[in-house]
Amino acid sequence: MFRRSFTVAATAIAAAVALAPTAQADPPHRRPDPAVLQRDLQDMVATEGAVAARVTDGQRTWSGRAGAADPATGEPVARGARFRVGSTTKALVATVMLQLQAERRVDLGARVDRYLPGLLPGRHDLTVRRLLNHTSRLKSHDHFLHPNPTIEETMNVHRWHTYTPRELVAVAVNAGYLDKDEYFYSNTNYVIAGMIIEKVTGRSYAREAERRILRPLGLRDTYFPGTSPYIRGPHTQMFAKVPGYPPFNVTEWNQSYAGASGELISTSADLVRFNTALLGGRLLPPAQMRQMTTLVATDEDKRYGLGLEVTTASRCGVELWGHNGSVPGGIAFMAGTRDNRTQVALTLTPGDGRPSKPQQVALFKFIDDAFCGTAKR
């Protein structure tokens, strides 16, 4: 399946960005060299693709971009170019949910049935908290949405289709529940979280996130596209490739298949501003921040809280708090140190669907250089 095979590969790459084995070669918080960061970006897209990044180190803010926004014209990446950031959306949705908990409008220990009765047959034990930390035993609907479609069906039919949240949940339920109450990353969890937000507030998760997060923080280049397949404003062209076919332009895609699990459009600058505010305690009271940062073990080299994942920088071992994301044709990286001293965000359209080995090497190096300082030569 085109949709499934791409997503699995791109998500694995995005999640692996900062997950190399920890080593202690350079001390954390050594100031990064802007010239080295820019070379890393240029190496990342030396043969194809486009990238934009933002780094703050407590004293300075650096922004860089490289590559062609449109390979057909060679147009460079615009300042403030927008990208689809996929599962990074989950950090905002979890923040809204925890704000509602602080207002005593949502109980994370309550069963999902309390808010959405009958949605999950046979799962009357499932709590809201277990949606947010991916221990719900729900499979991910996008793995089963269209079993074995042709490339033509995906590109010409499915990517334009509008899905309702209930349709997506029904797909996951029909696939059957997992056997154990262990961590399993499922986009369906956050589709349901979005439904709970709407049930409690009378407004969509997107409207609540706009009201509570985007407008107060001045995130003017971040928005939820809903059912629109288009990206407003300056943006890069995105491509995906399946063996045996030429690259497909997947820039236009109705994100309702992801909804609250991954529809957001943003910029590297806005992602840094959001994560800085979140880790700095501006969006959640201390009690809710403690819950968000209470971690469970995963089946990957990371730990997961409530809409936050924790990885490490490979060179210096510093913990990175944030959330990665992927969509057809692109990946996003958003992370900061727990003391909020360093924040990094990067959005990459690889040019061929998934990062090549040289692109991955340059990506890993960029993250190390940003968080650990320039490597000694």
Side-chain angles (χ1 to χ4, degrees):
M1 176 178 177
F2 170 67
R3 165 82 199 117
R4 180 181 179 186
S5 64
F6 176 82
T7 302
V8 170
T11 301
I13 291 168
V17 160
L19 302 183
T22 298
Q24 299 290 337
D26 286 286
H29 304 318
R30 198 148 66 91
R31 296 180 71 176
D33 183 336
V36 173
L37 296 179
Q38 183 61 40
R39 284 200 298 271
D40 292 341
L41 295 189
Q42 291 167 344
D43 290 343
M44 216 176 297
V45 292
T47 58
E48 60 183 355
V51 62
R54 183 96 156 184
V55 178
T56 64
D57 66 0
Q59 295 179 314
R60 299 180 303 178
T61 296
W62 174 87
S63 295
R65 56 196 191 280
D70 186 343
T73 65
E75 176 187 355
V77 180
R79 188 179 301 276
R82 294 170 177 171
F83 295 75
R84 301 192 192 279
V85 299
S87 286
T88 307
T89 308
K90 293 178 174 69
L92 282 79
V93 172
T95 300
V96 171
M97 189 74 84
L98 284 160
Q99 288 180 349
L100 292 171
Q101 187 209 33
E103 297 164 8
R104 300 184 183 278
R105 301 173 70 182
V106 168
D107 180 356
L108 298 190
R111 297 173 180 176
V112 173
D113 266 356
R114 171 175 167 180
Y115 304 101
L116 301 168
L119 181 69
L120 300 170
R123 291 305 315 280
H124 307 296
D125 60 325
L126 177 57
T127 64
V128 177
R129 186 184 309 277
R130 289 172 60 191
L131 295 175
L132 299 182
N133 67 11
H134 295 294
T135 59
S136 68
R137 291 173 50 206
L138 285 166
K139 296 180 181 178
S140 197
H141 64 271
D142 49 313
H143 294 178
F144 305 95
L145 199 54
H146 295 292
N148 303 312
T150 66
I151 301 300
E152 290 74 17
E153 287 172 337
T154 298
M155 299 304 297
N156 298 325
V157 179
H158 300 321
R159 71 169 170 145
W160 306 109
H161 186 75
T162 293
Y163 302 90
T164 68
R166 286 189 175 271
E167 286 176 328
L168 301 180
V169 175
V171 169
V173 170
N174 289 339
Y177 300 121
L178 298 166
D179 294 331
K180 297 181 180 180
D181 295 339
E182 298 175 347
Y183 172 90
F184 179 84
Y185 192 91
S186 171
N187 287 318
T188 309
N189 291 326
Y190 276 76
V191 171
I192 299 172
M195 296 171 70
I196 293 173
I197 291 170
E198 182 167 1
K199 181 71 172 183
V200 169
T201 66
R203 292 179 289 269
S204 70
Y205 64 86
R207 287 283 303 279
E208 284 296 300
E210 290 164 2
R211 185 173 73 87
R212 294 166 175 270
I213 300 172
L214 304 189
R215 288 203 294 268
L217 294 182
L219 306 183
R220 297 180 180 86
D221 293 315
T222 300
Y223 72 99
F224 295 85
T227 61
S228 171
Y230 308 108
I231 302 176
R232 302 197 302 255
H235 60 275
T236 64
Q237 297 298 302
M238 305 168 70
F239 293 86
K241 191 175 189 311
V242 173
Y245 292 84
F248 292 93
N249 190 316
V250 294
T251 309
E252 298 173 358
W253 197 304
N254 184 331
Q255 297 295 295
S256 62
Y257 77 88
S261 75
E263 71 161 285
L264 194 69
I265 291 171
S266 189
T267 65
S268 56
D270 275 5
L271 293 181
V272 161
R273 186 175 297 182
F274 164 73
N275 210 37
T276 299
L278 178 62
L279 297 183
R282 292 173 53 194
L283 295 176
L284 293 174
Q288 278 64 46
M289 200 65 205
R290 284 193 296 273
Q291 293 185 68
M292 180 176 251
T293 56
T294 298
L295 306 173
V296 298
T298 76
D299 53 355
E300 303 166 349
D301 292 331
K302 68 179 180 181
R303 292 165 291 156
Y304 203 94
L306 305 183
L308 276 184
E309 55 190 13
V310 183
T311 60
T312 57
S314 63
R315 187 189 304 149
C316 58
V318 64
E319 286 189 337
L320 311 181
W321 295 73
H323 208 298
N324 297 323
S326 67
V327 295
I331 65 172
F333 173 86
M334 177 189 77
T337 56
R338 189 64 184 87
D339 62 7
N340 225 0
R341 183 169 177 176
T342 304
Q343 287 283 344
V344 177
L346 176 143
T347 47
L348 170 67
T349 54
D352 195 16
R354 63 191 68 183
S356 65
K357 183 64 175 179
Q359 285 179 319
Q360 293 177 53
V361 170
L363 182 56
F364 301 154
K365 183 176 182 300
F366 173 84
I367 292 169
D368 278 344
D369 288 338
F371 282 103
C372 306
T374 305
K376 295 179 180 179
R377 299 184 184 278

